[in-house]
Amino acid sequence: RRALATLESFLFKRGACFSQNISSPNTSWTSCSRLSAYLSWGHISLRHVVHALRHRQEELRQQKTQGEDIGPWLKSLQAFSSRLHWRSHFMQKLESEPELEKRDLCPAYQHLRRQEGDWNENRFQAWSSGKTGFPFVDACMRCLLQHGWINFRMRAMLISFATYNCWLDWSNKKLSAHMARVFLDYEPGI
């Protein structure tokens, strides 16, 4: 029931500003769909979400043709539809090409961060506990540890920081194991 209520509140109340608020760690809490955990755990099907989304888009199009001001709804719901496709694409990509989990996309980088002594356990511990000394990174990690969810941009930032700034090997199982433990909606392909 919560999955259905979350979907309905997104499609009729919270989702109007999805496209403009998706990237903000502050506004994404209410303007993102928050369906990812329900989808990941199978509490609601993607088919049901897409069907409800298309039905709502059609309702809004009809309202617009009747002269009603629908604000940013259609743009936001189109952006949400795109995110659903993106999610499925990358899950399918990993299913079709499981070696992506173990090799770099660009072979020229295969040797980076894989030399003797490259792994820095202290940096990993600081990153995984939100104690790097970089306030924004630490706030995002602590939020994730507390709530099990952060928006996509912050997820990407955390992993980028771990690999580029902390120089941690992305293919080290400690990184993916940590993310699998803390995300309520963890999907390996994403």
Side-chain angles (χ1 to χ4, degrees):
R1 284 186 256 164
R2 283 190 179 178
L4 294 173
T6 301
L7 174 61
E8 185 171 324
S9 75
F10 175 72
L11 292 177
F12 290 90
K13 297 176 188 160
R14 298 180 299 105
C17 295
F18 173 81
S19 62
Q20 69 189 52
N21 292 340
I22 187 174
S23 297
S24 168
N26 294 327
T27 57
S28 62
W29 280 96
T30 53
S31 60
C32 282
S33 77
R34 302 301 301 269
L35 291 168
S36 56
Y38 298 117
L39 288 165
S40 294
W41 289 95
H43 295 284
I44 193 169
S45 72
L46 182 60
R47 174 177 276 177
H48 183 85
V49 172
V50 169
H51 177 77
L53 171 63
R54 288 179 179 166
H55 181 75
R56 178 67 175 136
Q57 286 173 311
E58 188 52 39
E59 283 179 354
L60 289 164
R61 283 186 195 100
Q62 288 178 5
Q63 291 173 5
K64 186 176 179 180
T65 60
Q66 294 170 358
E68 291 183 45
D69 179 15
I70 59 167
W73 270 106
L74 285 175
K75 179 181 179 184
S76 287
L77 293 182
Q78 183 55 45
F80 176 63
S81 177
S82 176
R83 287 287 168 166
L84 291 175
H85 287 116
W86 176 93
R87 176 185 181 272
S88 296
H89 167 77
F90 281 100
M91 289 172 65
Q92 183 60 49
K93 189 165 185 69
L94 184 60
E95 183 78 21
S96 300
E97 301 175 49
E99 70 276 1
L100 287 175
E101 192 175 11
K102 296 176 175 52
R103 68 167 171 79
D104 294 301
L105 288 176
C106 180
Y109 299 123
Q110 193 69 33
H111 69 286
L112 292 178
R113 297 181 206 101
R114 303 211 176 92
Q115 307 304 314
E116 183 88 26
D118 276 353
W119 180 262
N120 186 314
E121 186 64 23
N122 291 335
R123 287 182 190 162
F124 172 73
Q125 291 301 324
W127 172 80
S128 64
S129 61
K131 296 177 182 172
T132 65
F134 290 81
F136 190 64
V137 172
D138 293 344
C140 288
M141 182 58 80
R142 290 178 187 175
C143 180
L144 175 59
L145 293 169
Q146 178 74 33
H147 299 286
W149 184 89
I150 54 176
N151 72 356
F152 174 76
R153 297 268 191 261
M154 300 310 102
R155 293 169 189 237
M157 185 268 305
L158 284 178
I159 292 297
S160 294
F161 187 88
T163 58
Y164 297 122
N165 299 82
C166 297
W167 201 245
L168 300 171
D169 180 6
W170 68 267
S171 68
N172 187 299
K173 292 297 180 193
K174 284 188 171 188
L175 282 180
S176 59
H178 176 70
M179 300 314 264
R181 270 192 309 278
V182 298
F183 276 117
L184 290 174
D185 58 353
Y186 180 74
E187 294 280 358
I190 304 171

